[in-house]
Amino acid sequence: MREPLPRITPPQPLEGVIAVIPAFNEERFIASVVHKARWSAERVIVVDDGSSDLTGLLAEAAGAEVIYLESNQGKAKALSAGFRRALSYAPKAVVMLDGDAQHEPSEIPSLVGPILEGRVDVVVGSRFLKSNPIPFWRRIGQWGLNLATNHTSGLRLTDTQSGFRAFSPTALQQLHFESPGLSLESEMQFHLKAASLKVLEVPIGVRYDDPPKRNPFAQGFRILETIVGLVTRKHPLLILTFPGALLTLLGVYFGVEVLIRFHHTGALLIGSAFLSVLLGFSGLLLGISGAILHSLQTLSSLLQAELRKELSRLPTKSNQHEP
């Protein structure tokens, strides 16, 4: 007679740890992901991002608290909704992971450990600090995105696109996402650098049981487009005004050449004249746009600083007195 398999005793969930799982049409995996996450996290929140299948119902049946979005709004919106709900429970740490079983929920303790110890603000799970069966085309694409994100954000990570991360409540309160789609992780890296948060990477495992839902090349270009937009907003003088000044000078050069040739020969170089006007106006538009964006950015920073100063002066519950 065949001996029964040994009973597996699940570990005790970590007190104050909340897992947030954005999910879109993940009925195949979501229940098992939730079950495993509940072994490590005290509470699991699934954000059903407008799924057309049973993702939300299966997540609820597995013991998750489910937030239903009426339509598919993208990972950034889904995570923002999940993070807001998580912060309402006054957590000690919050973990984000995908709902497609790519990540191993049993690794949650290794991500939240440094945060619970008070050593860092954010922990990023890196697929490249551990030997993982990652397809070659994914490695090549990830190398390009790492290079672009690390160089432009000023914060270096081995896995800039990892969706398995842990945050302290303080870190979450400083993260506000604007990017649609799957460019969230790149945008997050800019915020982490700007907020001077302490970031640590730990090795994680990864599984690729299914082919990608989206075209990886199109997805990569969308992420690069987001990075360019982020850099433009962060350094408008460098990205817009400086090239605009160069184009304007080039337009002036061609314009002077046209005038000199007309003075000596009486011949009008129509092509060069048209190019001079085109370069000049393009340069002026770029330069003015960069200057305006820089002014708005400076004004926004000053207003945020004043707002933080005013908020710090408000009385807290600890120093309020009953009448």
Side-chain angles (χ1 to χ4, degrees):
M1 184 177 177
R2 187 176 179 181
E3 294 184 3
L5 294 174
R7 183 184 178 91
I8 298 176
T9 303
Q12 290 294 319
L14 297 172
E15 181 181 355
V17 173
I18 298 178
V20 175
I21 306 173
F24 175 66
N25 291 342
E26 297 291 0
E27 66 177 7
R28 181 180 173 188
F29 300 107
I30 193 63
S32 63
V33 173
V34 169
H35 274 298
K36 292 179 180 179
R38 290 181 64 203
W39 289 358
S40 298
E42 186 178 37
R43 186 183 298 269
V44 177
I45 299 173
V46 171
V47 184
D48 185 341
D49 190 17
S51 298
S52 58
D53 61 8
L54 299 177
T55 294
L57 294 177
L58 291 173
E60 281 189 275
E65 176 184 352
V66 179
I67 301 173
Y68 290 92
L69 302 184
E70 294 184 359
S71 60
N72 181 236
Q73 300 181 29
K75 189 175 182 180
K77 293 288 183 65
L79 271 176
S80 294
F83 286 158
R84 286 195 299 270
R85 182 67 58 84
L87 285 174
S88 71
Y89 293 112
K92 296 179 181 177
V94 177
V95 184
M96 60 175 271
L97 68 157
D98 293 339
D100 58 1
Q102 183 182 121
H103 305 128
E104 181 51 63
S106 64
E107 294 180 324
I108 288 177
S110 66
L111 268 77
V112 300
I115 293 175
L116 296 178
E117 295 167 4
R119 294 193 286 121
V120 296
D121 303 297
V122 179
V123 177
V124 177
S126 174
R127 296 164 286 182
F128 301 100
L129 293 178
K130 189 175 185 178
S131 179
N132 284 303
I134 302 175
F136 177 75
W137 60 269
R138 281 185 181 268
R139 289 185 178 273
I140 295 298
Q142 184 64 46
W143 176 83
L145 293 176
N146 280 347
L147 183 66
T149 305
N150 287 335
H151 182 70
T152 54
S153 70
L155 175 64
R156 300 192 64 81
L157 296 176
T158 63
D159 194 351
T160 62
Q161 305 306 307
S162 173
F164 198 6
R165 304 182 178 210
F167 308 87
S168 69
T170 301
L172 278 187
Q173 290 167 356
Q174 300 185 58
L175 297 178
H176 304 282
F177 310 119
E178 300 174 3
S179 300
L182 297 176
S183 53
L184 166 78
E185 286 79 10
S186 290
E187 181 185 2
M188 189 181 295
Q189 195 154 323
F190 283 80
H191 290 309
L192 296 179
K193 177 63 176 179
S196 300
L197 296 171
K198 294 182 180 179
V199 183
L200 174 70
E201 284 189 289
V202 299
I204 59 169
V206 67
R207 294 167 52 188
Y208 296 105
D209 295 331
D210 284 354
K213 295 179 180 179
R214 304 166 183 84
N215 185 304
F217 297 102
Q219 178 182 329
F221 280 115
R222 282 195 294 270
I223 294 174
L224 288 175
E225 181 182 6
T226 299
I227 292 172
V228 171
L230 289 168
V231 174
T232 302
R233 291 198 299 270
K234 187 178 178 64
H235 304 290
L237 293 181
L238 177 64
I239 303 301
L240 295 177
T241 302
F242 181 68
L246 292 180
L247 287 177
T248 302
L249 290 175
L250 196 58
V252 171
Y253 169 79
F254 281 108
V256 170
E257 184 181 16
V258 169
L259 292 175
I260 292 175
R261 182 66 63 88
F262 182 77
H263 177 73
H264 287 291
T265 65
L268 178 61
L269 303 178
I270 297 178
S272 296
F274 178 78
L275 182 61
S276 171
V277 173
L278 179 64
L279 290 174
F281 274 108
S282 299
L284 285 174
L285 287 175
L286 281 176
I288 293 172
S289 299
I292 292 174
L293 283 175
H294 177 71
S295 299
L296 291 174
Q297 185 186 61
T298 303
L299 178 61
S300 175
S301 299
L302 290 174
L303 290 175
Q304 290 178 16
E306 288 297 322
L307 179 60
R308 285 193 294 268
K309 188 184 299 183
E310 291 299 324
L311 289 175
S312 65
R313 295 173 181 172
L314 292 177
T316 60
K317 291 183 179 180
S318 59
N319 58 27
Q320 287 179 347
H321 300 284
E322 294 293 334

